[in-house]
Amino acid sequence: QVQLVESGGGLVQPGGSLRLSCTASGFTMDDYAIGWFRQAPGKEREGVSCVGSRDISTTYADSLKGRFTISRDNAENTVYLQMNGLKPEDTAVYYCAAAPLVSYCSLLAPIWENDFWGQGTQVTVSS
């Protein structure tokens, strides 16, 4: 069964850090672009970051670049999202998604309109 599973979310104080994990089963992640998205209650889904297949490119939302970093560990078939300097407005459910054979990924592209999404992990930033 093809699956993506997110983990690493939780409650953190403003200014803190979290590392989210997106682990795949049933396919090799390095052949896919992997994107991180988030959605807060009552809000539209927002693109966070994506990495192209074979790490050809990386893309970040302009408001997040410099605080968040996306990376791969091919041995673990896992993509990470390191989040530093967290703010209350970062509170959301964070999802990962996969798109096959996309070297240059866009957070707004229709490549993400597929079935390759995880169930999400909750991130809450509050004092």
Side-chain angles (χ1 to χ4, degrees), residues 7-83:
S7 63
L11 175 64
V12 64
Q13 293 185 341
S17 297
L18 286 173
R19 189 181 71 166
L20 305 183
S21 298
C22 175
T23 300
S25 60
F27 66 99
T28 299
M29 292 186 86
D30 201 37
D31 295 330
Y32 289 70
I34 305 296
W36 283 99
F37 300 82
R38 66 186 185 184
Q39 188 165 24
K43 304 295 184 181
E44 294 183 351
R45 188 183 71 190
E46 177 187 16
V48 174
S49 180
C50 63
V51 56
S53 63
R54 310 303 172 96
D55 292 345
I56 295 298
S57 67
T58 56
T59 299
Y60 297 90
D62 288 341
S63 63
L64 303 177
K65 192 171 185 178
R67 291 198 296 124
F68 289 13
T69 304
I70 192 168
S71 63
R72 292 185 191 266
D73 185 335
N74 289 327
E76 298 293 331
N77 214 30
T78 297
V79 170
Y80 300 99
L81 182 69
Q82 179 68 45
M83 306 187 297

Side-chain angles (χ1 to χ4, degrees), residues 78-96:
T78 297
V79 170
Y80 300 99
L81 182 69
Q82 179 68 45
M83 306 187 297
N84 298 324
L86 286 165
K87 305 174 181 179
E89 53 263 42
D90 296 320
T91 296
V93 177
Y94 284 70
Y95 301 89
C96 65

Side-chain angles (χ1 to χ4, degrees), residues 2-6 22-24 27 29 34 96-98 116-119:
V2 175
Q3 291 188 35
L4 290 168
V5 178
E6 301 94 337
C22 175
T23 300
F27 66 99
M29 292 186 86
I34 305 296
C96 65
F116 297 102
W117 286 75
Q119 295 300 305

